[in-house]
Amino acid sequence: MYAPTSTISPRSGPSSGDAEDALTDFDGVAEVLRAWGAGLRPDPDLTVSEWADRHRMLAPRASAEPGRYRTARTPYTREIMDALSPGNAAQRIVFMKAAQVGATEAGNNWIGFAIHQAPGPMLAVQPTVELAKRNSRQRIDPLIDESPELRSRVKPARSRDAGNTMLSKEFAGGILIMTGANSAVGLRSTPARYIFLDEVDAYPASADEEGDPVTLAEARSLTFAHRRKVFLVSTPTIRGLSRIEREFEASDQRRFFVPCPHCGAMQWLKFDRLRWQKGRPETAEYHCEVCDAAIAEHHKTAMLEGGEWRATATAADPTTVGYHLSALYSPIGWLSWERIVRAWDAAQGSDEAIKAFRNTILGETWVETGEAPDWQRLYDRRERWTSGTVPAGGLFLTAGADVQKDRIEVDVWAWGRGLESWLVDHVVIEGGPDRHDAWSELTVLLDKSWLHERGAHLRIARLAIDTGYEAPAVYSWSRAHGFAQVSPVKGVEGFNRSSPVSGPTFVDATEGGKRLRRGARLWTVAVSTFKAETYRFLRLARPTEEEMADGAAFPPGSVHLPHWVENEWLKQFVAEQLVTVRTKRGFARLEWQKLRERNEALDCRVYARAAAWIAGADRWPDEKWRDLEDQLGRAPTAADAAGLINRPASAPQTKRRSDWLGRREGWF
């Protein structure tokens, strides 16, 4: 048996206890041990609302109430934020709400929480790429800069290879990508565990013609299975077309129930329970639906603190939860009940204003009345003014051209303040786009002028021409006459709340077999929006002869039709109606359907209206309208030089700075 030939003697030196003392015997050891212990301690298991209360700071440039974020200020957002926490079983959170109730800040809290507590790839989608850039500057950058925990995880944009750009923020374990719903490339850029879809009702119907933006975005999260979170937020728009309403109706439809301060009954706030003395919005009070006692607004803070979300339906998908909130819940100091009443009173008499009130204050959809007006009623309402002239209220002209196989139909409309309009001329050019003379006649129409009632001669400020038939020929003609006066347009179905006209985009065209580097500038028009507007304008009440004798004016948007317009044109003008149809999945949506085959008059009106939008009429301040009125009632100005207003040679020549500004900005 082998035996060792030597023994191991004890090591010399200090004992193990002495060694440990030596390792900790230096200045600052306490700080090192404290930091080491903190590093071993796991992060607290916070919900999104708890994280926001502990770490979120609101910057003065991004909030009306800067300082530490307090969920208690908007108690109704607590459950919504906590549903976004990883420990909650909900995968899709839907929030249909009024404007300015704190929804976007709740979403930003979720972004901050994900960066700090639960890193992963995140996709944040705004209606357009430009809005995504603006949101990044105004919301996301302050979110990171004002929170030390986030600032330490996202490198400054100025550092080299920081991974911090306008639309991308890298952090340990994840990345935040921001994009617009109009960019298919951005929507399919990367898999995402978290998806924040903000203002989904303002998304275009299709992202670069590749499909529904919401569907494209959500597809990025499917590989994360039960760990994914999708947050859909929006103010609703039109019943049957609203994405957020469709998603809310498929959810469990939670409402925020608050207690009555008098009887304690729980109820969710409804606008029809808000009462006030006529003409005195300051007397607004809410009446309990159980005891009918009047509730003063100062009770709202306690009511919100005692509120709770309750489901009012059964969700088709148990992993989807939905929330609805109106501005009646707005905290004290934000939107008061008095201001809500004032907004309601101010909206009376205007469908457009009431629509905005329902969408932005009540957080509810607007029901479009799409019944076609009776053409015979329009026939009886025709007005008589001198043929070929522009009535005094018309301040500029636009035209809409509809290209058919055997003809080009053009309607010329005059526009005045409040988008009041007059049909000035209807022209049918025989021969389709393959007939050279047809394009020559259309060119002559561009140079034609119409006598204004005040003595000036007006030319077409902008002509919008449809590209749906023989687009290359339309592009070629438009290019030859300059895009300052001619706008090729492409009509798309669907309502677009953010902008009924988008563009222009450069499209390729083929001319003589040669590929053009940059094609025509094409504008995209949401035709449903302008059709609904036209029908709404046609339903406006008109003043009686007695009222006009007393000085009453036509309401903004009124449509004036001349005595010479024929029955066939009127039938075409109201040839479609808006109907509700059901999709294969059972969802309701609105769709324009023809009542008769020919509808050129309605199409030309839509294109002429789009031309007015492109010219900027929807965004002109009162000063520009006054300037146009002055120019039509006095001597030639820069508009004459631009060729859009022609006057007799005997008129004196004057010029003002505002005229030069108008020409420079291109709004004549």
Side-chain angles (χ1 to χ4, degrees), residues 408 429-444 473 476-477 480-481:
I408 301 175
I429 299 175
E430 297 297 337
D434 57 344
R435 177 174 171 262
H436 178 75
D437 288 347
W439 294 111
S440 299
E441 292 179 34
L442 189 58
T443 299
V444 171
S476 178
W477 180 81
H481 291 85

Side-chain angles (χ1 to χ4, degrees), residues 92 94-97 199-202 214 232-253 255 320 322-324 358-359 363-368 580 582 586-590:
R92 300 177 79 251
V94 179
F95 191 11
M96 182 171 75
K97 48 81 179 182
E199 290 300 339
V200 296
D201 270 21
V214 173
L232 299 97
V233 181
S234 188
T235 302
T237 49
I238 299 172
R239 175 82 50 87
L241 292 174
S242 171
R243 285 188 177 94
I244 200 68
E245 180 192 50
R246 181 171 66 245
E247 298 291 350
F248 177 74
E249 289 183 344
S251 73
D252 55 3
Q253 301 181 29
R255 308 275 187 174
T320 298
Y323 302 88
H324 175 266
R358 296 193 67 87
N359 290 166
E364 298 175 355
T365 51
W366 166 261
V367 180
E368 282 284 6
T580 302
R582 294 280 173 180
F587 293 124
R589 65 180 179 87
L590 294 177

Side-chain angles (χ1 to χ4, degrees), residues 4 131 143 201 231 489 511 540 573 586 642:
L131 286 176
L143 164 72
D201 270 21
F231 189 26
V489 296
E511 187 179 61
L540 291 173
F573 197 45

Side-chain angles (χ1 to χ4, degrees), residues 559-580:
V559 179
H560 302 270
L561 302 176
H563 66 281
W564 49 260
V565 72
E566 299 177 350
N567 295 355
E568 173 61 25
W569 188 95
L570 291 169
K571 292 176 182 179
Q572 293 180 19
F573 197 45
V574 292
E576 299 184 26
Q577 68 178 356
L578 194 62
V579 299
T580 302

Side-chain angles (χ1 to χ4, degrees), residues 73 76 258-262 269 271 273-276 280-288 293-305 326-342 361:
R73 189 76 171 103
Y76 46 77
V258 294
C260 170
H262 304 297
L269 303 183
F271 180 64
R273 303 297 303 177
L274 195 64
R275 312 276 172 78
W276 63 94
R280 298 186 59 195
E282 67 275 7
T283 63
E285 295 175 320
Y286 192 87
H287 284 250
C288 173
I295 303 173
E297 190 162 18
H298 66 79
H299 290 293
K300 190 191 294 186
T301 300
M303 294 167 67
L304 293 179
E305 291 175 352
S326 74
L328 294 172
Y329 293 90
S330 188
I332 299 293
W334 289 13
L335 184 62
S336 66
W337 288 344
E338 176 186 343
R339 288 175 57 194
I340 291 175
V341 170
R342 290 187 185 278
I361 304 296

